[in-house]
Amino acid sequence: DLHNVRTLVRGIVGKRISAEIVNSTIPLGSFTSAELEELSQAGTVQALVSTLVTWGVPFGDILRKAVKGRGLEEEILAFEVALDGAYFPWVGESAMSVKGGEDLVEALSAEVDLRNMITLLKLARQGAEADQSMPMIVGGGGLTDRQLAELAAATDLKGALDIVARTRYSVALSGIEIASARQVAGVEREVERLLMRNFSKLFRKDPLGFCTILGYLWRRHAEYTDLRLVAHGLAFGLPMSSVRSQLVNS
């Protein structure tokens, strides 16, 4: 659902026709094909959100408050931050009512941390000030408010990486020379590798429980990421040695 709402918003903002938008969605969420087609014809982000609220989508009301009075057709990033900020806390709270849900919450928390770190590292590389970076933070992660504030205040990539090196993700930076780091993509890949190794081990925790599904999904996510990188490399004629260095399962 999260992916599909993002796709719908981007399609509406990009003035794409309904059929193109629907073809870009994934028919695996709670929305039916007919509902996706109706949403794709919303015309504006505000109309899309109003429909979601009418249908009783759990995080729809939060999104309605986020878009109120804002021209989000020109602020798609702000909408996506609002979407993430509504979705992750909601699904985390829902997961706690399921046996083994704490493992799902931990996985979601790590996903939020990765998103926040990469966003703030990119902003730091651009020299953004804290008041520009703080609104881009999504709640529900494991990084403390102080760590996030320090990352948001960093005005260069090295300074931001020094802060990451003092978090629980420091081991992911062990193979990166912080002093000469220039690419955020390398950091993102190392953190993804760390998370994939950690959560793939859930297979061993409870083979008959929820953990098996989580471990499987993380391994599938790694495969999907690698296939996407290979396809990107082939499309742009990148050296295979460069593509190989970015693979999660390298």
Side-chain angles (χ1 to χ4, degrees), residues 183-194:
Q183 297 295 325
V184 174
V187 178
E188 182 175 13
R189 197 64 63 241
E190 290 301 327
V191 175
E192 283 185 328
R193 287 171 180 156
L194 172 66

Side-chain angles (χ1 to χ4, degrees), residues 11 92 125 152 167 200 206 218 234 244:
R125 184 179 58 187
T167 71
S200 291
D206 184 5
W218 272 94
L234 291 173
R244 193 175 296 110

Side-chain angles (χ1 to χ4, degrees), residues 195-204 212-227 248-249:
L195 297 182
M196 191 272 291
R197 289 195 301 270
N198 289 347
F199 291 112
S200 291
K201 295 176 183 177
L202 288 173
F203 276 117
R204 306 171 188 169
T212 301
I213 300 173
L214 277 176
Y216 173 81
L217 289 175
W218 272 94
R219 293 194 179 191
R220 280 299 187 189
H221 172 71
E223 291 177 354
Y224 167 78
T225 300
D226 286 347
L227 288 172
V248 176
N249 287 311

Side-chain angles (χ1 to χ4, degrees), residues 85-160:
Y87 178 81
F88 284 105
W90 167 74
V91 76
E93 182 179 345
S94 301
M96 290 308 295
S97 63
V98 179
K99 181 182 179 182
E102 65 276 4
D103 295 302
L104 175 56
V105 172
E106 176 64 19
L108 290 169
S109 174
E111 187 176 345
V112 172
D113 284 343
L114 175 60
R115 181 210 181 283
N116 283 334
M117 282 191 295
I118 298 308
T119 297
L120 293 174
L121 286 173
K122 289 179 178 178
L123 290 169
R125 184 179 58 187
Q126 297 169 10
E129 299 292 336
D131 59 346
Q132 297 173 294
S133 300
M134 288 298 290
M136 297 295 104
I137 293 174
V138 172
L143 295 177
T144 65
D145 291 342
R146 179 176 179 178
Q147 290 170 330
L148 290 170
E150 289 177 345
L151 267 174
T155 55
D156 62 78
L157 185 55
K158 180 185 179 301

